[in-house]
Amino acid sequence: MTTDFPSFEIPGRVALVTGAARGLGRAIALTLANAGADVALGLRDVHADAGLAEQIEALGRRALPLQMDVTDPGQVRAAVDATAEHFGRLDILVNNAGIAPGNPAEDVTEADFDATLAVNLKGTFFASQAAGRVMIRQGYGRIVNVGSQAGAVALPGESVYCMTKAAIAHLTRCLAVEWGPHGVTVNAVAPTFVHTPGTADHLADPARRADVVERIAALHRIGEPMEVAGAVLFLVSPAASLITGEVMLIDGGWTAR
């Protein structure tokens, strides 16, 4: 039995965060850097990191902005390969990129359906596949998928988004079982509504905001990006070495009701 105390630091690790330019991705990238990791930034537009690389470097870590539209498997593979080549390894992948075009189910267009699946599912799978190949060779890896409470509860007007997040939860379990023997853990976080550019329009409506706050049953407040980033850090840290195939709800009590 080991007597080492749990560690939440990740010095010397190399992480790749998709959708890193803003919101949850930005908070996660900074949190991993603060804990000791060098961070590759997967960006839909490599020129749009809005000073994130400089912030990471100010923390004493290395940053690598990369062109990575997750709907393009070629860009995904190139970004993963560039990360491993530049830093010499790839220890952590955070699949954060996602979209949520809202529409009543009867009004969903094929274009919206295809776009949501392309980012949320296709992007997550092929980024995991590319990173998984590197991690299997290393005999070590940590993958965290950013799901949503929408994978566990129904959100009106978000049927396709909810479907993709439910699928991500099960993909997480499948990859965890398949890659566990190679030293790779795969987990997911499932946040409630968090203050990000992606939720700003929804939460700007007073009635919808009041409904969300009421449904966050225990805490009755909107989440903050760093509250999600902390859970991601835990799952990639040595403290979570026995956890895999789990979906961690970060919902302020929404689903406890």
Side-chain angles (χ1 to χ4, degrees):
M1 178 178 177
T2 182
T3 56
D4 293 338
F5 290 110
S7 171
F8 301 91
E9 298 298 309
I10 50 173
R13 295 299 184 188
V14 173
L16 169 61
V17 180
T18 72
R22 62 180 195 165
L24 292 181
R26 192 179 191 90
I28 291 166
L30 288 168
T31 294
L32 297 180
N34 187 63
D38 296 320
V39 186
L41 308 172
L43 304 166
R44 187 174 55 182
D45 176 359
V46 72
H47 303 294
D49 79 332
L52 179 56
E54 288 79 3
Q55 286 184 273
I56 289 170
E57 290 165 356
L59 292 169
R61 307 311 310 168
R62 294 177 292 170
L64 179 65
L66 294 167
Q67 177 63 40
M68 191 179 183
D69 180 341
V70 298
T71 67
D72 181 342
Q75 287 193 25
V76 168
R77 289 189 294 270
V80 169
D81 291 346
T83 302
E85 181 177 353
H86 184 82
F87 293 113
R89 58 186 299 113
L90 173 59
D91 303 296
I92 297 163
L93 169 68
V94 181
N95 282 309
N96 167 73
I99 60 172
N103 235 343
E106 65 271 23
D107 295 332
V108 169
T109 66
E110 184 177 5
D112 278 349
F113 184 96
D114 290 346
T116 307
L117 268 65
V119 175
N120 295 4
L121 287 184
K122 182 179 179 180
T124 294
F125 179 84
F126 283 105
S128 297
Q129 181 192 67
R133 288 169 174 163
V134 176
M135 293 172 178
I136 288 168
R137 291 198 299 268
Q138 294 173 167
Y140 177 91
R142 299 288 181 263
I143 297 175
V144 178
N145 298 321
V146 177
S148 169
Q149 68 178 17
V153 299
L155 299 180
E158 300 283 357
S159 58
V160 179
Y161 176 74
C162 290
M163 176 181 70
T164 63
K165 294 303 185 179
I168 284 173
H170 199 54
L171 174 63
T172 297
R173 291 185 280 268
C174 292
L175 295 181
V177 169
E178 196 163 338
W179 292 346
H182 302 288
V184 179
T185 68
V186 186
N187 292 290
V189 293
T192 187
F193 284 86
V194 175
H195 284 124
T196 68
T199 62
D201 286 347
H202 186 92
L203 296 175
D205 180 278
R208 288 190 293 190
R209 183 183 183 89
D211 179 66
V212 167
V213 170
E214 171 59 25
R215 287 178 184 273
I216 299 178
L219 299 180
H220 296 295
R221 65 175 176 82
I222 310 300
E224 297 297 334
M226 284 298 179
E227 294 178 304
V228 179
V232 173
L233 174 60
F234 166 65
L235 289 171
V236 304
S237 76
S241 57
L242 196 60
I243 300 175
T244 196
E246 288 298 318
V247 179
M248 180 184 292
L249 281 159
I250 310 170
D251 69 350
W254 183 306
T255 57
R257 188 177 236 176

